[in-house]
Amino acid sequence: MIVIGLVLFLVASNTQTGWVYLLSGTVFGALMTGWWSSRRALRPANFRLWVPGSVPRGQGFAATLSWTSAALGYSAYWKPLGQIQLDQQGREQALLESSQREQKVWLIGQQRGIFSQIPGEITCYGPLAWFAARRRLNPELSQPLYILPRRREMSNQKMKALARGSLGDRRGQPAGQGDLRRLREYQVGDDVRWIHWASSARRGELVVREFSQGGALQLVLCWGCQAEALSEVEAFEELMDWVYTYFVSAREQGWPVQLLVPQADGSWKASEQIEILATAQAQVTPPAPAWSAAQGWARIDFWLGRGCSPAGVEVLEFGEKARV
């Protein structure tokens, strides 16, 4: 650029129309400088995104962008591209100021899943703001991000009816009012009243108390799908939303909750990890295992299509034939 400027200056000083060349060269040089500066400013170092462990689908959540430096100190914008978007109620774009080293943004997950990175695009206009330079920049996540199903609105009457038992058996008081059963790691939906703060401080992570009592309500949630209903994607998402809603609502009541998860080999596996719901897929499942209220756990089955109704089980059906 310096050499080009000297050549234009020499031409301008020896011709009658030199001022035209000089002016043109000045404008050209300014434009080239702005474009080159914009390109160089697209390289923030150690670009990371700090996210929570899990969030419900469709619910906005706060995340923090961090970086160590930008090449020339110009402001840049970052926005995610794909299944995780900027929350419309938050900022339109994440502004990366050169004087800062972190920026809070509001995101929203549009689809269930586990995300190890969030594809995005960074934009910088440089000193003149005439040329928008863009490139893909995927920040490293602080931890895997689980997008869980959406939580639906559910009245307290449904939970009270569940505690009474629509099958005629009185299920007793919530398990949180009984004797201490064990200490375990905090999970999404746990009642904060049962956090054991002393143990949490020693371990460096939240620990909750789990209670048990004879005749207390302990809940199992099971879901299945028939072959002819596999194409009903929206109905399956609604089904998963209700599984998640019952799970969280029961945990808030202090009830122990388990998920009865269908396996690829046709078996069933019990789990207390709600993160399983982030990757659950519609698949043909065998009839749910038999159940009896005498086992001490109440059970709700969520079926896409028409499911069997074994004794001692409440069934909620989804799809075109029936709705919850």
Side-chain angles (χ1 to χ4, degrees):
M1 296 298 297
I2 296 176
V3 174
I4 294 176
L6 291 175
V7 171
L8 292 174
F9 178 78
L10 292 175
V11 173
S13 62
N14 291 278
T15 60
Q16 295 181 350
T17 58
W19 62 272
V20 176
Y21 295 103
L22 183 60
L23 179 62
S24 301
T26 302
V27 173
F28 176 76
L31 295 178
M32 289 295 297
T33 301
W35 176 83
W36 181 249
S37 300
S38 299
R39 296 296 301 174
R40 290 196 61 191
L42 296 179
R43 293 179 175 86
N46 298 325
F47 199 46
R48 298 193 67 187
L49 185 62
W50 299 84
V51 296
S54 60
V55 291
R57 178 173 63 94
Q59 177 178 312
F61 62 95
T64 302
L65 283 169
S66 66
W67 63 96
T68 57
S69 64
L72 294 181
Y74 300 116
S75 298
Y77 298 88
W78 176 84
K79 64 178 180 179
L81 303 172
Q83 299 170 353
I84 297 181
Q85 297 290 334
L86 288 168
D87 190 351
Q88 294 300 322
Q89 297 180 355
R91 304 188 175 195
E92 287 296 323
Q93 289 180 313
L95 177 62
L96 281 60
E97 292 285 0
S98 59
S99 60
Q100 300 176 355
R101 290 296 175 263
E102 66 177 29
Q103 175 65 49
K104 180 173 289 187
V105 294
W106 289 89
L107 303 175
I108 183 170
Q110 304 290 353
Q111 184 174 340
R112 292 184 301 111
I114 304 177
F115 297 87
S116 57
Q117 64 177 4
I118 300 179
E121 182 181 73
I122 188 171
T123 304
C124 181
Y125 290 90
L128 299 178
W130 287 348
F131 296 98
R134 298 182 178 89
R135 75 181 180 96
R136 290 295 184 94
L137 189 62
N138 303 332
E140 178 186 354
L141 299 188
S142 59
Q143 60 182 329
L145 175 62
Y146 291 80
I147 301 297
L148 300 172
R150 187 192 309 270
R151 184 174 183 179
R152 301 271 181 163
E153 294 185 3
M154 186 170 64
S155 64
N156 292 330
Q157 284 71 20
K158 282 192 175 183
M159 298 305 296
K160 292 179 179 178
L162 180 61
R164 290 193 300 268
S166 61
L167 300 177
D169 56 308
R170 174 77 178 177
R171 292 173 177 164
Q173 299 299 317
Q177 299 181 3
D179 299 326
L180 180 64
R181 179 185 177 191
R182 62 169 178 161
L183 296 176
R184 58 171 175 78
E185 295 180 359
Y186 175 86
Q187 298 179 2
V188 177
D190 285 339
D191 194 328
V192 294
R193 294 176 299 174
W194 310 130
I195 295 178
H196 195 277
W197 294 107
S199 298
S200 300
R202 287 195 302 269
R203 297 189 185 183
E205 59 183 0
L206 291 179
V207 176
V208 295
R209 292 168 289 181
E210 186 176 285
F211 297 91
S212 62
Q213 179 179 337
L217 176 57
Q218 302 176 96
L219 185 62
V220 170
L221 303 176
C222 173
W223 72 85
C225 181
Q226 288 188 324
E228 59 270 20
L230 288 177
S231 60
E232 300 182 34
V233 179
E234 293 184 2
F236 181 75
E237 290 300 323
E238 182 184 2
L239 181 152
M240 298 310 303
D241 290 347
W242 281 107
V243 174
Y244 176 74
T245 300
Y246 273 87
F247 187 101
V248 174
S249 300
R251 279 287 177 84
E252 290 178 348
Q253 298 292 327
W255 304 342
V257 187
Q258 283 189 351
L259 298 171
L260 203 56
V261 185
Q263 304 296 301
D265 59 1
S267 62
W268 297 86
K269 178 181 178 181
S271 174
E272 297 180 355
Q273 302 297 322
I274 196 172
E275 289 79 9
I276 291 176
L277 301 182
T279 56
Q281 297 181 354
Q283 59 183 1
V284 179
T285 54
W291 197 262
S292 172
Q295 293 180 255
W297 288 69
R299 195 177 94 189
I300 303 178
D301 284 4
F302 301 82
W303 283 93
L304 185 59
R306 289 289 183 182
C308 57
S309 302
V313 175
E314 300 176 36
V315 180
L316 301 180
E317 298 176 345
F318 295 77
E320 296 180 356
K321 298 180 181 178
R323 289 283 180 178
V324 62

